[in-house]
Tab-separated table of all heavy atoms in Angstrom:
chain	number	residue	atom	x	y	z
F	30	SER	N	27.749	-37.395	7.200
F	30	SER	CA	29.158	-37.745	7.442
F	30	SER	C	30.080	-37.104	6.432
F	30	SER	O	31.234	-36.796	6.733
F	30	SER	CB	29.318	-39.246	7.444
F	30	SER	OG	28.952	-39.804	6.159
F	33	GLY	N	31.210	-34.003	7.730
F	33	GLY	CA	31.824	-34.076	9.047
F	33	GLY	C	30.856	-33.845	10.173
F	33	GLY	O	31.256	-33.335	11.223
F	36	PRO	N	24.152	-37.258	11.762
F	36	PRO	CA	22.787	-36.980	11.261
F	36	PRO	C	21.956	-36.163	12.269
F	36	PRO	O	21.206	-35.289	11.855
F	36	PRO	CB	22.193	-38.365	11.041
F	36	PRO	CG	23.367	-39.266	10.811
F	36	PRO	CD	24.467	-38.721	11.698
F	77	ASN	N	-13.193	9.170	-0.983
F	77	ASN	CA	-14.052	9.922	-0.087
F	77	ASN	C	-13.871	11.410	-0.260
F	77	ASN	O	-14.819	12.172	-0.268
F	77	ASN	CB	-13.777	9.538	1.359
F	77	ASN	CG	-14.310	8.154	1.695
F	77	ASN	OD1	-15.184	7.645	1.008
F	77	ASN	ND2	-13.812	7.544	2.769
F	89	ARG	N	-21.923	24.581	-2.304
F	89	ARG	CA	-20.951	25.600	-1.964
F	89	ARG	C	-20.895	26.687	-3.020
F	89	ARG	O	-20.861	27.877	-2.702
F	89	ARG	CB	-19.562	24.975	-1.790
F	89	ARG	CG	-18.528	25.961	-1.266
F	89	ARG	CD	-17.137	25.394	-1.296
F	89	ARG	NE	-17.049	24.148	-0.591
F	89	ARG	CZ	-16.795	22.980	-1.179
F	89	ARG	NH1	-16.617	22.950	-2.488
F	89	ARG	NH2	-16.719	21.880	-0.490
F	93	GLN	N	-21.784	30.567	-2.541
F	93	GLN	CA	-20.810	31.605	-2.846
F	93	GLN	C	-21.341	32.603	-3.881
F	93	GLN	O	-21.141	33.802	-3.767
F	93	GLN	CB	-19.509	30.961	-3.336
F	93	GLN	CG	-18.755	30.204	-2.265
F	93	GLN	CD	-17.532	29.489	-2.818
F	93	GLN	OE1	-17.351	29.483	-4.033
F	93	GLN	NE2	-16.739	28.917	-1.949
F	96	SER	N	-23.911	34.888	-2.215
F	96	SER	CA	-23.241	35.845	-1.339
F	96	SER	C	-22.540	36.941	-2.139
F	96	SER	O	-22.639	38.130	-1.831
F	96	SER	CB	-22.243	35.127	-0.427
F	96	SER	OG	-21.533	36.037	0.355
F	101	ALA	N	-21.794	42.259	-3.910
F	101	ALA	CA	-20.799	42.754	-4.843
F	101	ALA	C	-20.722	44.272	-4.812
F	101	ALA	O	-19.647	44.862	-4.959
F	101	ALA	CB	-21.109	42.278	-6.262
F	113	ASN	N	-13.751	32.293	2.315
F	113	ASN	CA	-13.871	31.007	1.625
F	113	ASN	C	-12.501	30.443	1.265
F	113	ASN	O	-12.262	29.246	1.363
F	113	ASN	CB	-14.707	31.180	0.346
F	113	ASN	CG	-16.163	31.453	0.659
F	113	ASN	OD1	-16.665	30.985	1.702
F	113	ASN	ND2	-16.822	32.212	-0.197
F	124	ALA	N	-5.724	17.851	4.236
F	124	ALA	CA	-5.588	16.729	3.304
F	124	ALA	C	-4.107	16.432	3.018
F	124	ALA	O	-3.690	15.285	2.945
F	124	ALA	CB	-6.311	17.036	2.005
F	133	GLU	N	4.559	8.610	4.628
F	133	GLU	CA	5.624	8.232	5.567
F	133	GLU	C	5.449	6.801	6.052
F	133	GLU	O	6.424	6.030	6.123
F	133	GLU	CB	5.612	9.190	6.763
F	133	GLU	CG	6.719	8.923	7.765
F	133	GLU	CD	6.707	9.920	8.919
F	133	GLU	OE1	5.879	10.846	8.884
F	133	GLU	OE2	7.522	9.758	9.852
F	156	LYS	N	21.777	-20.822	4.062
F	156	LYS	CA	21.764	-21.625	5.291
F	156	LYS	C	20.822	-22.837	5.177
F	156	LYS	O	21.225	-23.969	5.400
F	156	LYS	CB	21.364	-20.743	6.478
F	156	LYS	CG	22.377	-19.655	6.783
F	156	LYS	CD	21.939	-18.810	7.958
F	156	LYS	CE	22.993	-17.732	8.274
F	156	LYS	NZ	22.588	-16.877	9.427
F	164	THR	N	21.532	-32.869	5.698
F	164	THR	CA	20.696	-33.895	6.339
F	164	THR	C	20.366	-35.028	5.364
F	164	THR	O	20.195	-36.181	5.775
F	164	THR	CB	19.378	-33.288	6.842
F	164	THR	OG1	18.588	-32.832	5.739
F	164	THR	CG2	19.629	-32.152	7.802
F	171	LEU	N	11.878	-30.362	0.648
F	171	LEU	CA	10.532	-29.880	0.342
F	171	LEU	C	10.203	-28.632	1.163
F	171	LEU	O	9.524	-27.710	0.679
F	171	LEU	CB	9.501	-30.981	0.650
F	171	LEU	CG	9.517	-32.177	-0.307
F	171	LEU	CD1	8.532	-33.238	0.181
F	171	LEU	CD2	9.180	-31.736	-1.732
F	181	PHE	N	8.258	-15.968	-2.691
F	181	PHE	CA	7.852	-15.517	-4.043
F	181	PHE	C	6.454	-14.913	-3.981
F	181	PHE	O	6.200	-13.835	-4.564
F	181	PHE	CB	7.893	-16.670	-5.021
F	181	PHE	CG	7.406	-16.301	-6.401
F	181	PHE	CD1	8.244	-15.691	-7.307
F	181	PHE	CD2	6.093	-16.580	-6.781
F	181	PHE	CE1	7.806	-15.342	-8.575
F	181	PHE	CE2	5.643	-16.246	-8.053
F	181	PHE	CZ	6.491	-15.628	-8.942
F	192	ALA	N	2.808	-1.151	-6.925
F	192	ALA	CA	2.487	-0.531	-8.222
F	192	ALA	C	1.186	0.243	-8.152
F	192	ALA	O	1.069	1.340	-8.721
F	192	ALA	CB	2.452	-1.603	-9.315
F	201	ARG	N	-2.776	11.444	-7.812
F	201	ARG	CA	-3.005	12.493	-6.829
F	201	ARG	C	-2.179	13.718	-7.128
F	201	ARG	O	-2.638	14.859	-6.996
F	201	ARG	CB	-2.678	11.940	-5.423
F	201	ARG	CG	-3.086	12.861	-4.287
F	201	ARG	CD	-2.740	12.228	-2.970
F	201	ARG	NE	-1.282	12.097	-2.820
F	201	ARG	CZ	-0.705	11.253	-1.979
F	201	ARG	NH1	-1.421	10.438	-1.249
F	201	ARG	NH2	0.609	11.206	-1.887
F	204	PHE	N	-3.657	15.515	-10.102
F	204	PHE	CA	-4.874	16.241	-9.702
F	204	PHE	C	-4.523	17.496	-8.911
F	204	PHE	O	-5.122	18.550	-9.081
F	204	PHE	CB	-5.763	15.316	-8.852
F	204	PHE	CG	-7.007	15.974	-8.356
F	204	PHE	CD1	-8.118	16.121	-9.172
F	204	PHE	CD2	-7.080	16.462	-7.050
F	204	PHE	CE1	-9.266	16.726	-8.726
F	204	PHE	CE2	-8.245	17.078	-6.597
F	204	PHE	CZ	-9.337	17.213	-7.431
F	210	SER	N	-3.292	24.906	-10.753
F	210	SER	CA	-3.296	25.742	-11.964
F	210	SER	C	-4.606	26.459	-12.132
F	210	SER	O	-4.673	27.601	-12.566
F	210	SER	CB	-3.028	24.866	-13.200
F	210	SER	OG	-1.748	24.248	-13.105
F	235	MET	N	-34.492	40.198	-17.956
F	235	MET	CA	-35.699	40.623	-17.246
F	235	MET	C	-36.287	41.891	-17.887
F	235	MET	O	-37.513	42.014	-18.027
F	235	MET	CB	-35.366	40.873	-15.773
F	235	MET	CG	-34.953	39.609	-15.007
F	235	MET	SD	-36.297	38.407	-14.874
F	235	MET	CE	-37.459	39.300	-13.850
F	245	ALA	N	-47.564	43.763	-24.979
F	245	ALA	CA	-48.732	42.946	-25.087
F	245	ALA	C	-49.908	43.634	-24.390
F	245	ALA	O	-51.068	43.501	-24.791
F	245	ALA	CB	-48.501	41.573	-24.483
Side-chain angles (χ1 to χ4, degrees):
S30 61
N77 287 340
R89 187 188 305 114
Q93 290 175 353
S96 176
N113 290 330
E133 183 178 356
K156 296 180 179 180
T164 65
L171 291 175
F181 177 83
R201 189 179 65 200
F204 178 80
S210 299
M235 294 296 294

